Structures are given as structure tokens and as C-alpha cells.
Amino acid sequence: MRTTDPLAPLGSLPGVADSVAAVRTAVDRVYGHRIMRRRSNEITSEAALRGARGSAALSGADWALEEVRRRTDFSADAEARTLGAALRLTAEAGQLLSIWRQSPLRVLARLHLVAAAEQSDAVGRPRRHGEPVDEPLVDLPLPDADEVSGRLDGLAELIIDGSEAPALVTAAVVHGELMALRPFTSHNGLVARAAERIVLVGSGLDPKSVAPAEVGHAELGVDAYNKALEGYVSGTGEGMGAWIAHCGQAVGLGARESTAVCEALQRGAA
């Protein structure tokens, strides 16, 4: 049984407390909107769509929201398949909340299976020695299979044991660790961002999933995303703090997006 909480010290890194407070304020603003009391299901559905679009954009399929809304076939080409995978993951994530704290590795395997949507020996399991990783737009050092296995076990232990760290910190670490490891042969970014969503929702910070961090990550841009990830991979306090702050900013922007949707519904414009 673990006697220390490895994530707790991250909450005291410079700027992290401010990020946590800002996220709480932004999320509370959405939940306090009068539209949420009557039409929360619509806000959740719209946040899911916009979140999937944002996650796909970070994996190389940057489509306009109206095109995502209009399209029914997501099998035509690589970008369409990426969008389809993001949409499937967003729908699946909500079904896995009850399993996450008991068996996070099982959830990650399921997320990859849903994203890949193919019959292959490499789907739904961590990559093995020599297997390539297809992860567009991410250029970070790639750990070997043994390191991936050990660190995945460590991440699972953190989730199962729980932490006193704020939900934003845990979500950022889960997201960052999965991107650092890229444990699967494909779709790691989509899986990592779906896992971040699961943590934010399951923690109670955003129980109705109306503050899609994926929207914010996409708005901040691929270059900022990769730079922040480099900070996480560095393992330094400064780098970790910068990554957590980046994730906090993304959640805040996602909350702002849903607040705008609430305003539009209130005006009868959406």
C-alpha cells in the first residue's frame, strides 16, 4: 500500500494553485448559467461534439465544426477516420467512468479499441518492442516498451490509490503521461485526451462534461500543446507546472465555449 501521494506536491508548484482556482471559477460559471438548469443535456451534447472536433484537430484533422456536424460518413479518408475515432471516444468515455478508478488500464485498452475500430493484434494493448507508433504532430522522445509497461503500471497505481491533488493536476498528469509514453501503436493523442476528460468528469469537477478541455487545447494550438508537453517530459518543476497551467487554460477555454453556447441558447440563436 502506498504511503505517500506523489501528485500532492504538484499542487504547490508555482502558478498551479492559481490555475486550479481559475478552472473552478470558469466551470462554476457554466453550471451557474440559467440555461444549464433547463437544457443541460443539450449543453453536454454540444460540448461533446466540440470536444471531439478539438481533439481530432490536434491529431491532424482540423475540420470546421459545421462540417463535423453535417458529415455522416467518417470512413472516406485518414482525416475523416480520425474525426470518427474522436467522436466514438467522446461517446465511449462516459460509459467508462465507473471502471476508471478500479481498472484504468482496462479503460485505456477499451479506448484504444474504440478509436482504432479495426481487427489487429496491436489494438487494445501496449506496443511491443520494435512496433512503430503513428502519432502525427507529436515529436517527443519515444520510451521503449519496457519503460512503457512500467510507467503504465505506475500510472494505474496512482489512479487506483487516489490522490489529494486537485482534479486538474491529476487530469494533467494522466494526459501528459500518456502522451509521453504513447503506449499504443496509434491514436495515443485521442486516447490521452479522452482519459483527461474521464478524470475531470469522474472527479466531480465537471460531472456533466460541459467544459471540454479538447476545445481549449485546439484553440491554444498544436505548437503550444507540444511545447507544454515538452515541459511535462522534462520532469522539472517548472516544466510540470507549465503543463498543468496549459491544461488549466484549456479547461477554462472549454468552459468558456459552453458558456457561449448557453448564451446562444438563451437568445434563441442556437
Side-chain angles (χ1 to χ4, degrees):
M1 183 71 177
R2 197 184 68 207
T3 58
T4 60
D5 184 349
L7 298 185
L10 299 180
S12 61
L13 290 174
V16 170
D18 290 341
S19 294
V20 169
V23 163
R24 181 75 270 173
T25 298
V27 173
D28 285 349
R29 187 176 296 119
V30 183
Y31 282 86
H33 200 286
R34 61 184 298 182
I35 289 293
M36 279 293 292
R37 293 194 292 271
R38 296 184 287 111
R39 303 175 71 175
S40 63
N41 288 342
E42 291 176 67
I43 307 302
T44 295
S45 296
E46 187 65 20
L49 182 71
R50 295 178 186 224
R53 192 216 74 80
S55 191
L58 290 168
S59 288
D62 191 359
W63 288 19
L65 180 63
E66 290 312 312
E67 176 63 13
V68 180
R69 204 187 302 278
R70 181 190 67 80
R71 186 72 69 96
T72 57
D73 179 11
F74 292 97
S75 62
D77 53 42
E79 285 196 7
R81 289 192 292 274
T82 295
L83 230 310
L87 289 165
R88 291 193 300 274
L89 282 178
T90 298
E92 186 72 14
Q95 310 303 313
L96 299 172
L97 291 168
S98 62
I99 306 172
W100 174 252
R101 282 292 301 273
Q102 285 72 45
S103 187
L105 296 185
R106 178 181 163 196
V107 169
L108 293 175
R110 174 62 184 171
L111 290 173
H112 187 243
L113 184 67
V114 168
E118 62 185 44
Q119 297 296 320
S120 167
D121 175 57
V123 171
R125 62 155 176 82
R127 55 186 169 84
R128 297 170 182 158
H129 290 287
E131 289 183 328
V133 173
D134 179 15
E135 194 60 47
L137 308 183
V138 175
D139 184 20
L140 295 170
L142 193 66
D144 66 26
D146 288 338
E147 183 176 350
V148 167
S149 178
R151 286 172 63 175
L152 275 179
D153 287 343
L155 181 63
E157 183 181 350
L158 285 176
I159 299 303
I160 292 168
D161 288 349
S163 173
E164 294 300 315
L168 172 64
V169 172
T170 302
V173 168
V174 168
H175 184 169
E177 189 70 359
L178 292 174
M179 289 306 294
L181 297 178
R182 278 146 293 158
F184 303 110
T185 57
S186 65
H187 300 92
N188 290 287
L190 296 179
V191 168
R193 292 183 287 275
E196 179 184 43
R197 174 185 288 263
I198 287 172
V199 174
L200 293 170
V201 174
S203 68
L205 175 65
D206 180 22
K208 294 184 182 295
S209 194
V210 295
E214 306 97 319
V215 168
H217 285 303
E219 184 173 336
L220 292 168
V222 172
D223 290 344
Y225 183 69
N226 284 327
K227 183 178 179 180
L229 275 172
E230 287 173 6
Y232 177 87
V233 171
S234 75
T236 65
E238 181 181 3
M240 293 289 289
W243 169 248
I244 294 168
H246 183 88
C247 290
Q249 192 176 359
V251 177
L253 289 169
R256 187 184 70 179
E257 184 94 349
S258 286
T259 300
V261 172
C262 288
E263 293 292 332
L265 286 172
Q266 186 167 280
R267 295 191 306 268

